[in-house]
Amino acid sequence: MTTLAHLTATPDLSNTVVSRWHRRLSANPTAKRSHWRTKTIYFRAVSTLVAGTPVAQLTWKSIVEAAAPHGSRSTFYEVAGAHARHPLIEALIGDNRMDSIQLALYYRRPDAVAQLIDEAKVWSYWPYRERMIDAVTSAGPALPDALEAEVTSAMLKWARANPQLAAALNHAPPVCAVEDLMLIRNGRLAAVRAANHLTERLRRAA
């Protein structure tokens, strides 16, 4: 029987590494100077392309064309690739905690297009994640299993609305969903296991 002693305080999912990265970039009020505005142009472009083009066929040129009239080679490589500005992987590594570094290593990609897709998944999933956080925060203390179910439910709602994007890169889940699950499990779930668990849920749902 569940008692209050078995319940845990809801982890602060609004203060994860990915949350801070998203907030730092998206909070810039000057749209013309906002790097986040440039990122979202490319996130929309790659999400649109993934819906009708195999990921293996995507190139920086096709993504730049889809981002027209704002796309260019220089802005693409500001957003993605080895010399991108403010990449999510860099934020995870800079956190210096083992969980974050494990997550960065798991999501380290060999090419700029794959890196862009990972960040586009986070951007696309974010509204679903925010609604999930509001719901679990309002509900108060809960069992970790219940919190995990909320994360999984939010991710699957996103996947149903964005099936091709969700399936891209072998059904890799949004990085933030994996980080949330690791936080809910309070260090008892490694990045690889958390990512594989959510990947399997996406595959089964597909």
Side-chain angles (χ1 to χ4, degrees):
M1 184 170 76
T2 300
T3 67
L4 290 176
H6 293 106
L7 301 179
T8 60
T10 303
D12 187 4
L13 299 179
S14 65
N15 196 38
T16 63
V17 176
V18 182
S19 293
R20 294 193 297 271
W21 171 82
H22 186 281
R23 188 161 51 244
R24 182 172 68 252
L25 295 181
S26 65
N28 189 334
T30 309
K32 290 183 178 179
R33 297 181 180 179
S34 173
H35 181 58
W36 186 252
R37 180 175 178 271
T38 304
K39 277 184 175 288
T40 57
I41 290 169
Y42 281 98
F43 294 159
R44 289 191 182 97
V46 77
S47 298
T48 299
L49 284 176
V50 165
T53 306
V55 170
Q57 295 180 17
L58 296 185
T59 66
W60 71 264
K61 289 183 178 179
S62 64
I63 296 171
V64 164
E65 289 174 1
H70 305 287
S72 70
R73 186 179 188 279
S74 61
T75 55
F76 174 85
Y77 283 106
E78 282 186 1
V79 168
H83 302 292
R85 295 171 54 198
H86 312 297
L88 177 52
I89 291 297
E90 186 177 280
L92 289 167
I93 293 172
D95 184 56
N96 287 324
R97 291 183 302 113
M98 185 58 67
D99 282 354
S100 298
I101 292 172
Q102 285 181 0
L103 198 52
L105 291 174
Y106 184 85
Y107 276 91
R108 185 169 56 184
R109 302 293 185 182
D111 64 87
V113 171
Q115 179 186 326
L116 180 62
I117 292 172
D118 275 330
E119 291 194 5
K121 288 191 181 199
V122 171
W123 165 78
S124 176
Y125 171 63
W126 206 257
Y128 297 85
R129 181 179 184 270
E130 288 188 322
R131 288 193 288 272
M132 178 271 296
I133 290 175
D134 288 344
V136 300
T137 301
S138 299
L143 290 166
D145 285 353
L147 296 174
E148 178 179 329
E150 292 288 346
V151 170
T152 303
S153 175
M155 184 188 68
L156 294 180
K157 287 177 183 176
W158 163 76
R160 285 193 291 271
N162 303 274
Q164 293 89 356
L165 184 59
L169 304 178
N170 297 315
H171 292 89
V175 184
C176 50
V178 180
E179 186 184 25
D180 290 344
L181 181 55
M182 293 170 70
L183 183 60
I184 287 168
R185 292 302 178 182
N186 194 27
R188 291 187 290 273
L189 192 62
V192 172
R193 288 184 60 201
N196 287 344
H197 173 70
L198 293 179
T199 294
E200 182 59 26
R201 293 304 303 270
L202 285 174
R203 284 179 177 151
R204 283 158 49 189

